[in-house]
């Protein structure tokens, strides 16, 4: 059974090999929601969107201006709304 120290050493060795180009690393990419486009698609104000997904209006403004990116559950909800805008009414009902 390997120890945590062994796992860390192995990870560092792999990182060195990736950096040298001798090993290919796994890259995970996440789609960043275009909050303004989603909001415009829903025909709602920043305040309405904020209330529906339970975040502050300032948070929505920050997302739209690119100062911050939605993360966690907010990111999942926004990506879901972009694909299925009809779900907005369900979020809005629970406000």
């Amino acid at each position: 059974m390997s120890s945590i120290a062994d796992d860390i050493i192995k990870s560092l060795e792999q990182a060195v090999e990736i950096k040298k180009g001798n090993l290919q690393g796994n890259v995970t990419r996440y789609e960043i929601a275009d909050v303004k486009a989603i909001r415009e698609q829903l025909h709602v104000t920043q305040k309405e969107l904020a209330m529906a997904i339970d975040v502050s209006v300032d948070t929505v403004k920050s997302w739209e201006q690119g100062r911050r990116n939605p993360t966690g559950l907010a990111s999942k909800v926004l990506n879901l709304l972009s694909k299925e805008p009809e779900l907005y009414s369900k979020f809005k009902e629970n406000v």
Side-chain angles (χ1 to χ4, degrees), residues 5-56:
D6 292 336
D7 290 343
I8 292 171
I9 291 169
K10 182 178 178 183
S11 293
L12 290 172
E13 289 170 346
Q14 289 174 339
V16 169
E17 292 303 310
I18 291 168
K19 179 73 173 167
K20 289 179 180 177
N22 298 332
L23 186 64
Q24 185 168 350
N26 295 329
V27 176
T28 303
R29 299 196 190 282
Y30 296 96
E31 181 180 335
I32 298 173
D34 183 343
V35 179
K36 186 173 184 178
I38 293 167
R39 185 175 58 76
E40 289 175 346
Q41 175 186 13
L42 297 170
H43 305 289
V44 297
T45 65
Q46 290 175 334
K47 182 177 180 181
E48 290 170 325
L49 179 62
M51 288 176 59
I53 64 173
D54 199 25
V55 298
S56 72

Side-chain angles (χ1 to χ4, degrees), residues 50-73:
M51 288 176 59
I53 64 173
D54 199 25
V55 298
S56 72
V57 176
D58 286 338
T59 297
V60 173
K61 287 178 183 179
S62 292
W63 290 340
E64 288 190 6
Q65 294 169 357
R67 291 182 304 185
R68 294 177 55 200
N69 291 321
T71 59
L73 186 55

